[in-house]
Amino acid sequence: MTKPGITIGVFGGGQLGRMLVQAARKLGFKTHIFDPFDDTPAGRIADKQTISPYEDMQAVTNFAKTCDVVTYEFENIPVIAVEQAARFTAVYPDKFALQTSHDRLIEKTFLRDKAGAPVVGFAPIETMNSLSGFMKKYGAPVILKTRRFGYDGKGQIKVDTPRDVKAAFARLGGTDLIAESFAPFVREFSIVAARGREGEISCYPLTENVHKDHRLHTSIAPADDRQNIGDKAHAITHRILNALNYVGVMGVEFFELEGGGLIVNEIAPRVHNSGHWTQDAGCTDQFEQHIRAITGMELGGVVPKRSVKMTNLIGDEILQADALAKKPNSYVHNYDKRDIKPGRKMGHVNEVLEEK
Ligand code: AMP
C-alpha cells in the first residue's frame, strides 16, 4: 500500500488521461498532466498541468521532479521524454514497452520471437518488388501499413490483387512500411490486463470488439466464449506482459479464427478503449487498476458482476448523450471535449446487459 497524497504524472491530456485522473483522485492521489496543448480533457481536471512540447527536456525534467511516478496515456509519446523523466522518477510502463509499440515491425517481431505469440505473416517493405514478392508468398489480399503512427485504421491499405501493388505503395509513401498477411478472422476481441510491480498479473475476461470505419464502435464483455479461447488468450497475454517486464494496464488485440485459432494483432501499452466497460461492471475499473499497478498497490478484482456493452460516441453522436443517459442501466461518460469534430471520440456509453 502506498502513501495517499503522492503525485502521479501523466504524459498526454486526452480522454484516457482524464479517466486516469478521475481514478487517481478516487484513491487519494494527486495528478499532474503533461501535454503540448492547453485546455485538454485531462489537464482541465488535474491538480497541475504542464503545457509544453514533449521534446522540451527542461519542461520534462521539471514535470518529473514533481511526480512520485509517471505514466503515459498514449503510445505516440517520444521515447526521449520517457527516458528523461525516468532519470528523476519511476516511469511505468517503461521505455521498452513504448519503443516496442512505436513501430509495427519491432512489435510484431517482439510478439513472435520474444513472447511466443501467434501473429500474421509479416515483412518490412522497402520496394514494390518486395511487396509483390510478399503477395506471392502469402497470397492475396495483404494489408500494407505504415510502421509508425498508425491508429484507428490510419496508414493502412488492403491490397487485393497484384495490380493494386503500385497504387498502394505510392499512397503510403513507399518507405517504412510493413506488409501483413490477411487474417481471415471470425471475430475481433481483446484482453485488457494488468501487471503489478511485483510481476503479479490480472486479466479481465474476453471482450468482443466491433469496428466501424476502422474505429472501435462497440465492446461487449464478458464475451461469449463459444470456441473456448479465453484461457489460451490469457496465457498469451501473460507471456507478452512478462516478456516486457511490464507494469500497468495493457490492451492486447486479437483475431479469432474459425476453429479457435488466435492471432495477436497489436498491443497498446496503456489503458484501452476496449476496457471502458469495466467502469460500470462492478469490478475494479481499468483506470484504477492501472493506478494501482504503477503505484505498487495490490491489483483489484477483475471479475465483472454485470455484462456490459460499451459504445463509443463519435463526433456529433455525443449530442445523444442526454437521451442515452435517460435509459435505465445506461451510463454516459462525456470527455468534455471543446469541439465536436467528425471521427473524434467524444464520449462513450456503458449499457448494463445482465446482472450476474
Ligand atoms: P490496426 O490499426 O492494426 O489495429 O488495424 C485496424 C483494423 O484493421 C483491425 O482491427 C482489423 O479489423 C483490420 N486488420 C488489421 N490488420 C489485419 C490483418 N493482418 N488481417 C485482417 N484484418 C486486419
Side-chain angles (χ1 to χ4, degrees), residues 128 157 163-172:
M128 263 187 315
I157 299 177
R163 281 190 308 281
D164 303 318
V165 160
K166 192 172 170 192
F169 189 75
R171 236 178 91 194
L172 290 185

Side-chain angles (χ1 to χ4, degrees), residues 25-101:
R25 180 158 293 160
K26 185 170 140 200
L27 294 171
F29 300 139
K30 294 196 171 57
T31 50
H32 187 165
I33 294 291
F34 190 113
D35 193 282
F37 297 101
D38 192 6
D39 206 21
T40 58
R44 219 178 286 134
I45 64 164
D47 294 285
K48 234 176 143 179
Q49 60 171 330
T50 296
I51 300 154
S52 163
Y54 296 119
E55 293 78 9
D56 181 339
M57 291 300 112
Q58 191 53 54
V60 171
T61 302
N62 296 343
F63 162 73
K65 283 182 173 170
T66 70
C67 300
D68 297 277
V69 55
V70 164
T71 188
Y72 43 91
E73 62 123 32
F74 83 130
E75 58 268 44
N76 286 332
I77 308 281
V79 172
I80 47 164
V82 162
E83 275 172 346
Q84 181 69 3
R87 296 197 169 98
F88 302 96
T89 191
V91 182
Y92 298 117
D94 66 15
K95 70 167 183 175
F96 297 110
L98 192 63
Q99 264 166 344
T100 303
S101 68

Side-chain angles (χ1 to χ4, degrees), residues 175-191:
T175 52
D176 286 337
L177 303 176
I178 177 174
E180 296 182 8
S181 61
F182 186 79
F185 59 83
V186 291
R187 187 165 70 155
E188 292 189 76
F189 73 93
S190 55
I191 299 290

Side-chain angles (χ1 to χ4, degrees), residues 104 143 145 156 180-183 185 188 211 255 265-266:
R104 292 185 195 273
I143 313 262
K145 300 180 178 179
Q156 65 167 277
E180 296 182 8
S181 61
F182 186 79
F185 59 83
E188 292 189 76
H211 292 83
F255 298 134
N265 175 32
E266 62 179 2

